[in-house]
Amino acid sequence: AGVFATCFNTPFDVVKSRMQAGVACPKPPKPSTLDRMLAIAREEGLLALWKGFAAKSLRMGVGGAVGILSFDIICDVIREFDHKPARSGS
């Protein structure tokens, strides 16, 4: 699911990163995200909006796998702890 979502949010991430870095943008006083997306597509081509997609997808895929594995291990530990008999006081 994370990699699928990356397909849609990468163009926004590219624009956000360029805004933060102060990279060239259209001339209006305060260009919108859409203005910046159109400028990037016009000047660099449509695929420029997906720069960094492979690295981000890999990160999302590995991060998702680590999250699922961690959840599974924690559930196993909790189940194991839950089934141990209680110790007596003396």
Side-chain angles (χ1 to χ4, degrees):
V3 175
F4 182 71
T6 301
C7 295
F8 299 100
N9 75 3
T10 298
F12 295 98
D13 203 33
V14 167
V15 171
K16 174 199 62 93
S17 297
R18 290 183 182 205
M19 289 171 73
Q20 289 175 335
V23 176
C25 64
K27 297 293 179 210
K30 197 167 188 181
S32 68
T33 301
L34 182 59
D35 290 336
R36 290 177 187 252
M37 279 184 180
L38 292 172
I40 291 169
R42 203 173 20 254
E43 295 168 12
E44 301 175 41
L46 194 58
L47 291 179
L49 290 170
W50 280 270
K51 284 184 177 180
F53 174 78
K56 190 173 179 185
S57 295
L58 182 62
R59 182 174 50 95
M60 294 299 293
V62 171
V66 168
I68 290 171
L69 182 62
S70 299
F71 178 78
D72 194 41
I73 290 171
I74 290 170
C75 285
D76 288 346
V77 168
I78 290 171
R79 275 191 222 107
E80 184 70 25
F81 181 75
D82 225 15
H83 293 325
K84 286 189 177 180
R87 293 183 178 184
S88 60
S90 332

